[in-house]
Amino acid sequence: MSASHEGSGVAGRQGAVRAPQGIAGGILLIALAALALWLTRDLDQGTLNAMGPAMLPRWLAVGVGLSGLALIAYGFIRVGEPLERWSLRGPFFIILSILAFAVTIRPFSFGPLALPGLGLVVAGPLGIILGGYATPEARFRELLILSLSLTPFCMLLFGDLLNLPIPVFPQELAGLFPAGWSQKAIMRATASVLIVAGIAVFFATKGSRNKTIDVADHSGRI
């Protein structure tokens, strides 16, 4: 942020609304939380000992909504950033990431289009990499390492600790594992492979970090 911007746009703002960008962000978060609560209204929440499918998204939505309220309150108390010109880059890649995850983690068909269920081992990294390009500072190397690190964490958290029935890998590859292995053993083995792959990518590309060709559009537009 430039000094001229600070002097004319932020420090000089008067009136009840002192941080327009924060208030707009808070309203958006509350709208997203309300949408998530509405979409999960028919799902069973369960208990802490036996979590249902609505437990995590519902309480996450509550947290997002409270964060939105805090942002709105902050916007009336402290001077903040003004509203900036809208950019479609962020919403485009976030929506694309969600759609890619939804249609690849389980079998999906729409008319003549049919996709096999690829499981979290493919849908996780794909969604993280696509979502990462929402920022103009995106770098494929960092996104790839991040995806190979976060996906095993999600596997162990949701599939192992919370016992949620999440498909881990394409069912066509089930024969690659020994017949006596349990689902959790397969999940842990797959998570270990991803972690090793992430470490290997980190060290194999460490020297080329400063030579990475940035293909992102830094203008903030798509």
Side-chain angles (χ1 to χ4, degrees):
M1 184 170 56
S2 65
S4 60
H5 179 71
E6 290 179 350
S8 59
V10 176
R13 187 174 303 114
Q14 301 294 330
V17 178
R18 312 194 70 184
Q21 190 174 108
I23 292 179
I27 294 173
L28 178 61
L29 290 181
I30 292 175
L32 290 175
L35 177 62
L37 291 175
W38 181 74
L39 292 174
T40 58
R41 67 191 185 284
D42 295 330
L43 298 178
D44 179 29
Q45 178 170 293
T47 64
L48 290 178
N49 293 327
M51 293 185 180
M55 172 70 80
L56 183 62
R58 188 168 295 167
W59 282 103
L60 182 60
V62 171
V64 169
L66 292 176
S67 299
L69 288 176
L71 273 178
I72 293 176
Y74 184 83
F76 286 103
I77 298 173
R78 299 291 298 275
V79 176
E81 298 294 330
L83 285 176
E84 297 179 353
R85 185 170 60 88
W86 287 91
S87 171
L88 293 178
R89 182 191 182 94
F92 173 79
F93 279 103
I94 293 299
I95 294 174
L96 182 64
S97 168
I98 295 173
L99 291 177
F101 184 88
V103 302
T104 54
I105 191 169
R106 297 180 186 277
F108 173 81
S109 62
F110 183 76
L113 177 64
L115 298 175
L118 301 177
L120 195 58
V121 68
V122 174
L126 179 63
I128 292 172
I129 291 174
L130 289 176
Y133 276 104
T135 172
E137 290 79 20
R139 302 290 189 275
F140 179 74
R141 175 182 179 273
E142 282 77 5
L143 289 177
L144 179 60
I145 296 173
L146 178 66
S147 68
L148 294 174
S149 304
L150 283 183
T151 303
F153 173 77
C154 294
M155 287 181 181
L156 298 177
L157 175 62
F158 297 112
D160 202 340
L161 298 179
L162 299 180
N163 291 318
L164 296 180
I166 299 177
V168 178
F169 54 87
Q171 289 302 310
E172 291 76 8
L173 301 181
L176 297 177
F177 297 93
W181 282 27
S182 65
Q183 182 68 19
K184 285 191 175 182
I186 294 175
M187 183 181 303
R188 292 165 185 165
T190 307
S192 300
V193 170
L194 290 180
I195 292 174
V196 172
I199 295 174
V201 172
F202 174 80
F203 284 105
T205 60
K206 188 176 181 180
S208 62
R209 180 173 51 185
N210 296 328
K211 300 177 182 178
T212 303
I213 299 176
D214 180 16
V215 297
D217 179 9
H218 285 233
S219 66
R221 294 171 296 182
I222 61 173

